Amino acid sequence: MFKRKKFKYSDLKPGDRIRKLVEEYVEPELSAIGFKLLKSELTFKRKVGNFTQEIYFAKNQRNFGNTVVSFWTILSVKSNFYVKWHEKTYGFKPMNEFIDSWYDNHIKTWNSQYWNGGQYDLTKFDNVKLMNDLTKNVLNIGIPLLNEASDWETAADYQVRNQKFGFISKIFDFYVLADKKEKAIEALQIAEDFFKNLEDVPEERFEEIKVKKDYLQQWL
């Protein structure tokens, strides 16, 4: 027998509708583990030691009525501590405060049958099933990923494992902060070898490695 899809709060504007559903389905689960939902934007935050974990719900700018009501999530870990440490250590601030960040549809294990072009669209799927699926992904996939990036060593390990060598400066710094000298040395060498085998690598990558090697001599 055909089951009718359940659409909720379809009388609200897209932005209000998305927030209402997030408040109903996601917030109870996240608030139970220490996250707070901001009033100013659709973002959950919680502090974990020297790190701030964020889950941001980005809304499609083309949302309109009940034609398109779509959104996606961006998960991030930031650290003001790292910014201050970097400035004190090197004499200048890092590029940004991010430890790592992910779009949900770039996370391989975050597969969802309720995506429409890589976004959750409330006009295409049963809203209850969609929100339950989203909440499950946030808790079972998103939170462990945020926790992994909320530790200096495991954050660097993840970036090395996934060959995110564009972050080599941060990878090195994270190992320094974790007091892992051998891993710091190895990461620099792996990144340098990686870039040497590529064409048209920005010179700044090798300059970054040189700066870190110079610091390494002071540290050892």
Side-chain angles (χ1 to χ4, degrees):
M1 184 177 179
F2 175 76
K3 292 184 178 180
R4 186 177 180 181
K5 295 176 183 178
K6 188 170 184 179
F7 298 107
K8 301 192 70 175
Y9 309 118
S10 55
D11 57 320
L12 297 179
K13 294 179 180 179
D16 295 336
R17 181 179 177 185
I18 294 168
R19 186 177 187 96
K20 185 73 173 177
L21 285 164
V22 168
E23 289 175 342
E24 181 174 344
Y25 289 90
V26 185
E27 185 175 16
E29 301 292 340
L30 290 183
S31 63
I33 55 175
F35 281 90
K36 291 185 177 180
L37 178 60
L38 303 183
K39 293 182 179 180
S40 57
E41 60 184 45
L42 200 49
T43 301
F44 288 94
K45 286 189 178 185
R46 78 170 173 181
K47 189 83 170 165
V48 178
N50 292 316
F51 306 89
T52 300
Q53 299 178 348
E54 296 185 1
I55 303 172
Y56 170 60
F57 290 77
K59 297 182 285 291
N60 190 330
Q61 293 184 345
R62 297 183 179 179
N63 283 347
F64 178 76
N66 285 309
T67 304
V68 179
V69 184
S70 66
F71 63 95
W72 62 97
T73 58
I74 302 173
L75 296 85
S76 304
V77 176
K78 302 177 181 178
S79 176
N80 286 327
F81 174 89
Y82 174 62
V83 174
K84 294 176 182 177
W85 175 88
H86 192 284
E87 188 170 20
K88 181 180 179 181
T89 302
Y90 298 111
F92 60 94
K93 292 182 179 181
M95 183 180 298
N96 54 53
E97 61 187 357
F98 284 90
I99 304 302
D100 215 330
S101 184
W102 305 264
Y103 285 86
D104 55 14
N105 60 3
H106 291 170
I107 302 170
K108 293 180 180 180
T109 53
W110 195 293
N111 292 322
S112 178
Q113 60 180 304
Y114 301 104
W115 271 343
N116 182 46
Q119 299 181 22
Y120 290 100
D121 191 339
L122 297 173
T123 69
K124 303 296 183 183
F125 304 100
D126 183 297
N127 291 181
V128 176
K129 292 180 180 179
L130 183 155
M131 294 304 300
N132 283 332
D133 179 76
L134 168 62
T135 304
K136 180 185 70 176
N137 277 332
V138 168
L139 294 175
N140 297 337
I141 300 170
I143 298 302
L145 197 58
L146 292 174
N147 288 339
E148 186 175 15
S150 299
D151 173 90
W152 302 118
E153 183 178 9
T154 57
D157 286 346
Y158 176 89
Q159 292 174 353
V160 171
R161 189 167 61 249
N162 289 278
Q163 295 190 335
K164 300 176 77 170
F165 297 130
F167 297 143
I168 187 56
S169 290
K170 290 186 176 183
I171 292 172
F172 176 85
D173 290 342
F174 298 165
Y175 281 137
V176 171
L177 285 164
D179 196 29
K180 299 295 180 180
K181 294 183 176 66
E182 292 184 3
K183 283 189 172 183
I185 295 169
E186 183 181 9
L188 281 181
Q189 191 60 57
I190 291 173
E192 187 172 20
D193 292 344
F194 176 80
F195 289 133
K196 283 180 179 178
N197 290 320
L198 298 178
E199 296 181 358
D200 301 322
V201 177
E203 188 60 32
E204 67 185 49
R205 294 298 177 223
F206 296 106
E207 292 174 357
E208 288 171 353
I209 292 172
K210 183 181 183 303
V211 169
K212 302 306 177 181
K213 283 184 175 180
D214 290 343
Y215 176 79
L216 194 58
Q217 296 307 311
Q218 304 173 34
W219 186 35
L220 295 178

